[in-house]
Amino acid sequence: MDSPKTPKVLSHANSMKSLRSIKSQKSLRSMRSQKSTQSIRIFNHNHDSYQTCFGCMHVKIATCFIGFFALLGVCLSLMYCVFISQEQRKPNMKLYAIPMIVVILALLYMFVGILQQKAQLLFAFITLQIFLVFSIAVLIPIILLSVACNTLCVLQYFVDITLDHTEYTKSALISLVGLCCQLGIQTWALRAVCGCFRYFTDIQKFEVRQAQTNYV
């Protein structure tokens, strides 16, 4: 016959079971902490929210292209205004250089922000983009209503009203189509730069969290 287990043996078995359960819980906690630290230490630079052009381009690269072409266009426009003012003796053309210089400064701030990955330095260019998109969005219905109502006092700022009615109406419609295309391009540029702003902000937050975890 089997001898019954003594209370000491039962207590020893229970203590062993409790120790095993404690060890298993500790191992699970350590595995979870390792997984969490690994997930925290890896930043997904290629996340879908950091892509533009239907996922074909990163927002940082798109912002670099936008800044380069914007700086090139502003520099060419600035040179054109200076040459026209000197050749045709129109001193008022030099006044257009003031907003262009502001745009150049905003672009330089943006390039420094891209190099240093500081989102705050993109504020100036984002503000200019918002103003530009808003201005184009306001101009489109104004030109459309002016063409529909044949308002010459408004159309004279956009087309040559000395031409025939059909000619300057056609020119106004062409300029309207150009403004619509420009609105689409500027809206995309604004979205890309805002995406780059978010990208740099997320990187800064990630670095702060990583520093806190390393400190702990």
Side-chain angles (χ1 to χ4, degrees):
M1 293 179 65
D2 295 333
S3 60
K5 294 182 179 180
T6 60
K8 291 183 179 180
V9 175
L10 291 174
S11 62
H12 180 70
N14 292 328
S15 63
M16 291 296 293
K17 288 181 180 179
S18 62
L19 287 173
R20 288 175 184 173
S21 63
I22 291 170
K23 288 181 180 179
S24 63
Q25 289 177 0
K26 287 183 179 180
S27 62
L28 288 173
R29 288 176 183 174
S30 63
M31 290 174 64
R32 289 175 182 175
S33 63
Q34 288 177 359
K35 289 181 180 179
S36 62
T37 52
Q38 287 177 358
S39 63
I40 290 173
R41 290 177 183 175
I42 298 173
F43 184 82
N44 188 8
H45 294 273
N46 296 320
H47 194 266
D48 293 337
S49 60
Y50 306 140
Q51 304 293 325
T52 186
C53 292
F54 303 101
C56 299
M57 186 181 296
H58 197 272
V59 289
K60 184 178 179 181
I61 299 174
T63 305
C64 291
F65 277 110
I66 291 166
F68 174 75
F69 285 110
L71 185 61
L72 181 63
V74 170
C75 290
L76 292 176
S77 301
L78 184 61
M79 293 172 61
Y80 174 78
C81 291
V82 172
F83 289 150
I84 291 297
S85 63
Q86 290 179 354
E87 291 180 359
Q88 299 182 2
R89 294 180 180 180
K90 293 181 178 180
N92 293 329
M93 293 293 292
K94 293 181 179 179
L95 297 176
Y96 291 101
I98 297 174
M100 291 181 185
I101 292 172
V102 174
V103 175
I104 290 173
L105 291 175
L107 287 170
L108 291 177
Y109 271 105
M110 187 181 72
F111 283 126
V112 174
I114 292 172
L115 293 174
Q116 297 182 356
Q117 292 187 354
K118 291 184 178 180
Q120 295 82 3
L121 296 177
L122 302 180
F123 268 129
F125 187 76
I126 290 174
T127 304
L128 289 176
Q129 281 294 114
I130 292 172
F131 177 76
L132 184 59
V133 170
F134 179 76
S135 301
I136 296 173
V138 170
L139 279 177
I140 289 174
I142 290 175
I143 296 175
L144 188 61
L145 291 174
S146 300
V147 171
C149 301
N150 196 18
T151 309
L152 298 179
C153 61
V154 178
L155 289 174
Q156 64 181 351
Y157 296 103
F158 303 101
V159 294
D160 188 7
I161 59 175
T162 58
L163 299 174
D164 188 56
H165 175 71
T166 56
E167 292 294 329
Y168 71 74
T169 302
K170 184 179 179 180
S171 300
L173 292 176
I174 291 172
S175 62
L176 186 64
V177 173
L179 282 175
C180 290
C181 295
Q182 188 71 17
L183 180 62
I185 294 171
Q186 296 299 330
T187 304
W188 169 79
L190 177 61
R191 185 180 181 276
V193 177
C194 289
C196 187
F197 177 84
R198 180 187 175 186
Y199 171 67
F200 290 155
T201 304
D202 291 343
I203 289 177
Q204 291 175 358
K205 291 180 180 178
F206 167 76
E207 290 176 352
V208 171
R209 288 198 302 268
Q210 189 176 10
Q212 290 176 353
T213 53
N214 291 332
Y215 178 76
V216 173

